[in-house]
Amino acid sequence: MSPLRSETQASFIVSKTKNLWYDFGLSKGGNSIDLIMNLKSCNFQEALNFLKNPQYSFSFNPPAQISHEPKIKLLKTSHFISNALQDYIMQRGIPMLLASRFLEEVTYKVRSGIYFSLGLKNQKGVGTSKCLFQNCNRSEILYPHLLESY
């Protein structure tokens, strides 16, 4: 429905990608500044002053949702190393006996994808879980794979 006039059938459209509006009933359109000028019956400078006021927020796009969920979520660690990661270890020329002393398989989630990689053990257990949440050194995640859905 048009914010500029009363109507019974919706004829007001907003393009979020172009940040433009058009009212078919008035044969008028423009950007967000033009809409404010029409809504407030003001000039360009007054519309800018209106937008400067932190009390008001005006955009055709909804505010971004801020997620407080960690970007990387550790799901599990395992002493068992999958065949895909064992193949990777062998391709790198690392003896499996040596790798099994220092590495564990780590399963983690990034957005909607579930991945697994090799994690380096540290004195407290598996260092990758710490690495994933704090200062991550790319050398610590040797070979991530996309897992199939559980």
Side-chain angles (χ1 to χ4, degrees):
M1 301 299 254
S2 175
L4 301 172
R5 59 190 176 80
S6 55
E7 61 180 351
T8 57
Q9 293 181 329
S11 64
F12 188 84
I13 188 169
V14 173
S15 170
K16 291 180 183 179
T17 55
K18 294 179 182 177
N19 206 26
L20 297 173
W21 62 275
Y22 190 79
D23 187 326
F24 289 94
L26 293 175
S27 297
K28 230 178 179 181
N31 60 27
S32 55
I33 305 259
D34 297 318
L35 183 58
I36 291 172
M37 288 169 52
N38 280 280
L39 286 170
K40 298 282 187 190
S41 299
C42 64
N43 63 32
F44 180 78
Q45 190 59 49
E46 291 167 330
L48 289 180
N49 288 337
F50 173 80
L51 287 174
K52 281 183 191 178
N53 187 337
Q55 181 180 355
Y56 302 107
S57 172
F58 191 87
S59 174
F60 293 131
N61 297 314
Q65 297 295 324
I66 298 171
S67 173
H68 297 290
E69 186 177 324
K71 292 182 182 181
I72 299 174
K73 181 178 180 183
L74 179 66
L75 299 177
K76 69 177 180 175
T77 62
S78 173
H79 294 291
F80 172 78
I81 296 176
S82 66
N83 290 339
L85 292 175
Q86 286 181 30
D87 290 345
Y88 176 76
I89 290 167
M90 287 188 277
Q91 288 171 4
R92 302 285 298 202
I94 301 169
M96 193 53 68
L97 187 59
L98 180 64
S100 64
R101 284 183 54 206
F102 296 101
L103 299 175
E104 286 192 357
E105 185 168 315
V106 178
T107 306
Y108 58 98
K109 183 176 183 177
V110 179
R111 293 186 191 90
S112 61
I114 297 177
Y115 303 88
F116 62 98
S117 65
L118 294 171
L120 296 172
K121 296 178 189 177
N122 64 17
Q123 294 84 4
K124 294 181 180 179
V126 177
T128 303
S129 61
K130 182 174 185 273
C131 166
L132 293 175
F133 291 106
Q134 294 177 5
N135 300 327
C136 187
N137 179 345
R138 287 189 182 267
S139 65
E140 291 181 87
I141 300 175
L142 300 177
Y143 195 64
H145 287 281
L146 182 61
L147 286 178
E148 307 218 355
S149 298
Y150 289 152

